[in-house]
Amino acid sequence: MASKLFLYHAILFVLVQGRVLDFSKDFDTIVGDESSEACRHNSEILTQVLNQHASGHVLHFPVNQTFNFHHGIIAERMDDSVLLIDGTLRFQKVDLPIDHHLNGTTYPACLTIRNSRNVTVTSQYRGLIDGRGSQYWGIPLIGYVQIEEHRPRLFRFDLTDDLLLENIILQDSPYHTLYLDSVNRVEIRRVSIVNRRTYHDGHSLVDLSAFNTDGVDVSGNNVWIHDCDIFVQDDCIAVKDVKNHSEEDGIDGPYISSNMTFERINASGLGFTIGAIKNTHVKNITFRDSYLHKTMKGIYMKFAERTHINISALVEDILYENIAMESPLQWPIWIGPAQQADSSDVCHPNPCSMCWPMAPSSKCHVVKESKFRNITLRDIQINNPQMSPGVIFGSHADTIDDLVFENVQVTSGLPLPMARLDRHETFPGLLQPIRDQYVPKYITFAQKVVQGLVDRISPFVLRLREALEKTKGGYLTMAMNVVQSGGGAEQWYLSIILQETLGAIWMWLLLSVFTGILTFLILRHWNRFTHRSTREESLNRRVLYHSVYAVLFLVFLFSTVFCLVVPLRKPKWERMDRYYKCKGVRNGVARGDTWPIPKCFEHDLNWTSIDAKASRVKEDGALSAAPSDSSVMDGALILMCISLVIFQIAHRRITLQPQLPATASDTGERLDAL
């Protein structure tokens, strides 16, 4: 609160003591021209203005005006200054001489502010800073192999104190979007960050080709980010290592990132991240009251290989609280080594392969001399995950100490309330149009039309399902209530059983009906396919009816076996009822309605409405076993009963068919019988 009041007083001081500089009227700038000459001209003017005239004043970019620049704009000592962005700042791709002398490192950021204090970036409307990232992303799935990470960040602050960002949109960053390095007393609010290539409601392969487009990367102390929306193709928010600035800026350690709070944030990407940490002490970090929509990962804490042998890494006193995830595509919870490649070989383990564990030869290594300590996850809901709830990966030497899961639940059923809202309400930044020359317009148009239809139909479907839930009596009502319930371990266990059983029955019905009809039609018209005569057809009709029964029996038997084998062969990393890996945890505790329980945790639960049998199972530590095994057995019994009924009906109908005469002498008698 004191930091917030200080920022308000600082802005008021600037507005009273300084003057407003109009970037279009007071300087010889070019508006609306995207040519490289105009970009160079505007970039030179902006660099000069920021370094010589911005301190103590307000620099205004007027509304409805677009200014084009190139990357590499650097400003220093911008004390007591305000950037009032009501128009659009757009950065075009221009080859600079400095880009070819960096020895493969990242290009200079589009806009960098260094060694400054009391800086405000704001807007009276919703100012836009556009990085035109598609110019660097290139052709989907090919551009990354060509360019890798040789791209500029969009907006960077180094060694800056008392910083406020608000009411702006950061769009299509070529690389990391907002990079805050060694900052102190920072507040970010009502900011939208959007990096995407299509209108897909999630992360398609085309969207993911804009990889490494982090939302906010921050290191330093006393940071408060709140009431923002972030839709990116990498880490949504990542607490990073504090860089060693001692050589260039005369600043010595200790290198600690601490006292950060992130709250009321809607995000989608690789989740709320701490890392990848290499040689830094990170402590007192809080993520709370936030929503993750169809994210790749959710809660992501990771170590990378250390760059300094004598400096170990420590992450402690971390709290994730009241966070909801809807349909995460990968691991909802990951605590361990960073799953990344940082090269054109996407399966390279650095230290954990992105192909792990799907690829048989992929590897995942625990980073030595790195430790997690005092980590708490409280009131976390993971709804409809596509994979296992997560990975908790330490070792005997580098343990994860004092890890607490309190009310960490995996549920399934209807989408969460936040997922039912209009997407532009939860992510206002998605209102910005997509400008990607490498993605054909008809693809984005088709996706936009399909998404519009889905948005229109979804409310009706949800209302229908809710109406079915409210009806009295009936198997469907009971099924919907059990599927939707997620208040404890018992409900979740029954939900898994029911869904696996219903899924097996549905697969069996579809497969049986389709193959049965197809087989019957083939046998029924066998004579037409083989061009047999009418006499031969009549002689073989009796054999045909008997063969139908045998073939239908084999079809139903095949369908039953297939529907039972497929769930049993489900990959381990797709089992929602257990954590894929839990290793190297010391003093891990599960509390409240946590489900499923990581197998390396202690049980300190307070479940309600659990019968004596479930209580005994809990005491024996067997609740981490897969309930889908039981559901398969239940499904098998149901399928066997249905199969017997269908076989009896088919047999009765076949035996009631008219039989041909025993002798073949009278052709007319045969035809009459047929």
Side-chain angles (χ1 to χ4, degrees), residues 117-151:
R117 65 175 183 84
N118 191 21
V119 178
T120 299
V121 181
T122 185
S123 175
Q124 301 176 90
Y125 305 95
R126 288 279 280 176
L128 174 64
I129 302 179
D130 185 0
R132 292 302 308 275
S134 60
Q135 297 178 339
Y136 295 88
W137 302 334
I139 301 174
L141 307 179
I142 298 177
Y144 182 81
V145 178
Q146 296 174 333
I147 301 179
E148 295 184 356
E149 300 188 33
H150 304 155
R151 296 167 280 164

Side-chain angles (χ1 to χ4, degrees), residues 196 266 280 306 334 473 484 486 517 580 589 658:
R196 61 173 181 163
N266 299 331
T280 297
R306 294 180 300 134
W334 179 288
Q484 179 60 15
I517 294 176
Y580 177 75
V589 178

Side-chain angles (χ1 to χ4, degrees), residues 548-565:
V548 168
Y549 177 79
V551 171
L552 287 179
F553 178 81
L554 294 177
V555 166
F556 292 131
L557 181 62
F558 167 77
S559 301
T560 304
V561 173
F562 179 82
C563 295
L564 293 178
V565 170

Side-chain angles (χ1 to χ4, degrees), residues 658-672:
Q659 300 293 324
L660 294 175
T663 62
S665 60
D666 191 354
T667 305
E669 185 179 358
R670 280 180 174 276
L671 296 177
D672 292 339

